[in-house]
Amino acid sequence: MAYAIVSMLSSRTATVQRPASLIHRSLGKNAVRARLPCGCSTHHHTCNKHAVTAAHAGRQGPGLSSTGATIQGFAPSVKGARRVASVVCASSAAGEVEESAQGFLGDQDQQKTVYGILAVVWGTIAASKLFATRQFFDYVFGHAVTNPHVGFLGLQRLAGFSTLAPAVAAYTLARAAKKGRLDSETSKRQNLGLAVAGVLTLFYLWKTPASVLVPFWQKLAAGLATTTAVVGAVVYGQTSGHKFSLTKIAEGFGTSLANLFSPKNTNAAIYSLLSAGLGVYSLVLLFGSHELAAQWLVIGNDQVSLYLQREIGLSTFLAAIQTYCLKDAADQYKMDGTTYKTLNLSLAAIAAGNASSLWWATSAASIASWTTQNYARMVFLALQIITYAYK
């Protein structure tokens, strides 16, 4: 899949069509001739290099007799033609340089198309985990767990809700690409988040034993993670102003971390709390000990549950970034934007799904008990649902 997307983008070339003529004012048989900066005559001539047709400078301009006699030499109308032609040649050349500098994913239509594809793929995976839980589990872990415990299926469903985060990120970025707003802070943060999440996914796929995942799914997951990481990194580099400088990224992270704990109003303070909580939760799932995370997720200590734990952690990491974007919007009183409404709605759905999974595991399936950690998780999820849904 990654190869197909890259091939599609590589086959498209940006084309700039310049007008065949710029100014054409007829002087009859008599014309004022001038020389362009490229060395070409202005009379009915098209410069192949700059694709500019320069015509006569004016009709009966200063210095022309009423009989229309041809004036040889220098005249004010000739100066005008030279100025116009020089500006057009320069702007044409600048346009060619700009177009050639766009390169991979530099075209707005390309960006919108690729983000749309990513949104559909991630959304399809999330829907499969949610509505075809057993079939999808068998497809991914078929030869590792032949008769999965009900707890595994619950964890798979929980991962399905979490997988909505990258799908929503790709969807909002596709809308931003359509409107030419990929240089906004919200878009840049989500692109950077997709890049980091893609790289971490590849790392955990590499660490997961081959006996855990079905080979075809492992290849498909690696291709999707690679594509997600490349798209996020490339577009972030194009819009950030500093390519992909790790120093600049670290400085930006430090600034964002300081802003996280300095909200400007009550709404921003609530989003700050949620973003910090999701960030800590994602770090526990990604880098913490498996035993500690198992207390929160109610899972066993084995490679399948560990893989699902890391998967949920990556999506939670993206949710933390999206919540920070909402905090930043709340600071600036911009919560009425379509992007922020979409993020609020999707994060509310993710939180509601996580809450329903926790309730199912503790009350319906009776595979977990209402421990202090689970009570705290439910309260935190309730705060997320109320905040996201209300906004």
Side-chain angles (χ1 to χ4, degrees), residues 7 17 26 48 51 55 58 60 74 90 143 201 212 250 264 333 384:
S7 300
Q17 294 183 353
S26 174
N48 291 328
Q60 298 294 333
F74 188 83
H143 63 291
T201 299
V212 174
K264 298 179 180 179
Y333 299 96
Q384 292 180 59

Short mmCIF file of all heavy atoms in Angstrom, two decimals, residues 7 17 26 48 51 55 58 60 74 90 143 201 212 250 264 333 384:
data_model
loop_
_atom_site.label_atom_id
_atom_site.label_comp_id
_atom_site.label_asym_id
_atom_site.label_seq_id
_atom_site.Cartn_x
_atom_site.Cartn_y
_atom_site.Cartn_z
N SER A 7 4.13 5.64 -5.53
CA SER A 7 4.17 5.60 -6.99
C SER A 7 3.17 6.57 -7.59
O SER A 7 3.44 7.24 -8.58
CB SER A 7 3.87 4.17 -7.47
OG SER A 7 4.80 3.27 -6.97
N GLN A 17 1.06 26.59 -16.51
CA GLN A 17 0.74 27.09 -17.83
C GLN A 17 0.73 28.62 -17.78
O GLN A 17 0.03 29.20 -16.98
CB GLN A 17 -0.62 26.57 -18.28
CG GLN A 17 -0.64 25.07 -18.49
CD GLN A 17 -1.98 24.61 -18.99
OE1 GLN A 17 -2.93 25.39 -19.06
NE2 GLN A 17 -2.06 23.34 -19.36
N SER A 26 -2.38 46.67 -31.22
CA SER A 26 -1.94 46.76 -32.60
C SER A 26 -1.64 48.20 -32.98
O SER A 26 -2.35 49.12 -32.60
CB SER A 26 -3.03 46.19 -33.51
OG SER A 26 -2.67 46.40 -34.85
N ASN A 48 10.47 31.10 -25.59
CA ASN A 48 10.21 29.74 -25.15
C ASN A 48 10.63 29.52 -23.70
O ASN A 48 10.04 28.72 -22.99
CB ASN A 48 10.97 28.75 -26.04
CG ASN A 48 10.37 28.71 -27.43
OD1 ASN A 48 9.18 28.91 -27.60
ND2 ASN A 48 11.22 28.47 -28.42
N ALA A 51 7.96 31.76 -21.69
CA ALA A 51 6.57 31.62 -22.14
C ALA A 51 5.84 32.95 -22.08
O ALA A 51 4.77 33.08 -21.54
CB ALA A 51 5.84 30.58 -21.32
N ALA A 55 4.01 42.28 -26.85
CA ALA A 55 3.51 42.90 -28.07
C ALA A 55 3.89 44.37 -28.10
O ALA A 55 4.81 44.79 -27.43
CB ALA A 55 2.01 42.71 -28.14
N GLY A 58 2.15 50.35 -27.17
CA GLY A 58 0.96 51.18 -27.02
C GLY A 58 0.55 51.72 -28.37
O GLY A 58 1.28 51.65 -29.35
N GLN A 60 -0.24 54.78 -30.59
CA GLN A 60 0.00 56.21 -30.72
C GLN A 60 0.53 56.79 -29.42
O GLN A 60 0.04 57.79 -28.91
CB GLN A 60 -1.31 56.92 -31.12
CG GLN A 60 -1.87 56.46 -32.46
CD GLN A 60 -0.98 56.85 -33.62
OE1 GLN A 60 -0.23 57.85 -33.54
NE2 GLN A 60 -1.02 56.11 -34.71
N PHE A 74 15.05 54.74 -29.32
CA PHE A 74 14.53 54.72 -27.97
C PHE A 74 13.34 55.63 -27.87
O PHE A 74 13.36 56.76 -28.30
CB PHE A 74 15.64 55.16 -27.01
CG PHE A 74 15.26 54.98 -25.57
CD1 PHE A 74 15.40 53.76 -24.96
CD2 PHE A 74 14.78 56.06 -24.84
CE1 PHE A 74 15.05 53.60 -23.64
CE2 PHE A 74 14.43 55.89 -23.52
CZ PHE A 74 14.58 54.66 -22.91
N ALA A 90 10.59 37.80 -15.05
CA ALA A 90 11.07 37.50 -13.70
C ALA A 90 10.04 36.71 -12.92
O ALA A 90 10.35 35.73 -12.24
CB ALA A 90 11.42 38.79 -12.96
N HIS A 143 -2.77 -17.47 14.53
CA HIS A 143 -1.98 -18.65 14.88
C HIS A 143 -1.35 -18.53 16.26
O HIS A 143 -0.77 -19.50 16.76
CB HIS A 143 -0.87 -18.87 13.84
CG HIS A 143 0.12 -17.75 13.76
ND1 HIS A 143 -0.21 -16.51 13.27
CD2 HIS A 143 1.42 -17.69 14.13
CE1 HIS A 143 0.86 -15.73 13.32
NE2 HIS A 143 1.85 -16.40 13.84
N THR A 201 5.45 2.89 15.91
CA THR A 201 4.76 1.67 15.49
C THR A 201 5.73 0.71 14.81
O THR A 201 5.72 -0.50 15.06
CB THR A 201 3.62 2.00 14.53
OG1 THR A 201 2.67 2.84 15.20
CG2 THR A 201 2.91 0.74 14.07
N VAL A 212 3.80 -13.87 17.02
CA VAL A 212 2.62 -13.22 17.57
C VAL A 212 1.65 -12.79 16.48
O VAL A 212 0.44 -13.01 16.58
CB VAL A 212 3.03 -12.00 18.44
CG1 VAL A 212 1.80 -11.23 18.90
CG2 VAL A 212 3.85 -12.46 19.63
N ALA A 250 12.67 20.08 19.48
CA ALA A 250 12.85 20.02 20.93
C ALA A 250 12.50 21.35 21.58
O ALA A 250 11.86 21.40 22.64
CB ALA A 250 14.28 19.61 21.26
N LYS A 264 -4.98 30.17 29.90
CA LYS A 264 -5.41 31.56 30.02
C LYS A 264 -6.86 31.70 30.47
O LYS A 264 -7.32 32.82 30.70
CB LYS A 264 -5.21 32.27 28.68
CG LYS A 264 -3.75 32.31 28.24
CD LYS A 264 -3.60 33.01 26.90
CE LYS A 264 -2.14 33.04 26.46
NZ LYS A 264 -1.96 33.69 25.13
N TYR A 333 -9.78 31.57 22.21
CA TYR A 333 -11.22 31.67 22.01
C TYR A 333 -11.62 31.36 20.55
O TYR A 333 -12.37 32.09 19.93
CB TYR A 333 -11.72 33.07 22.40
CG TYR A 333 -11.47 33.41 23.84
CD1 TYR A 333 -10.34 34.14 24.23
CD2 TYR A 333 -12.34 32.99 24.83
CE1 TYR A 333 -10.10 34.43 25.56
CE2 TYR A 333 -12.12 33.29 26.18
CZ TYR A 333 -11.00 34.01 26.53
OH TYR A 333 -10.76 34.31 27.86
N GLN A 384 -13.56 13.59 30.46
CA GLN A 384 -13.30 13.75 29.03
C GLN A 384 -14.61 13.84 28.24
O GLN A 384 -14.79 14.74 27.39
CB GLN A 384 -12.48 12.58 28.50
CG GLN A 384 -11.07 12.50 29.01
CD GLN A 384 -10.33 11.31 28.43
OE1 GLN A 384 -10.19 11.18 27.21
NE2 GLN A 384 -9.87 10.42 29.30
#
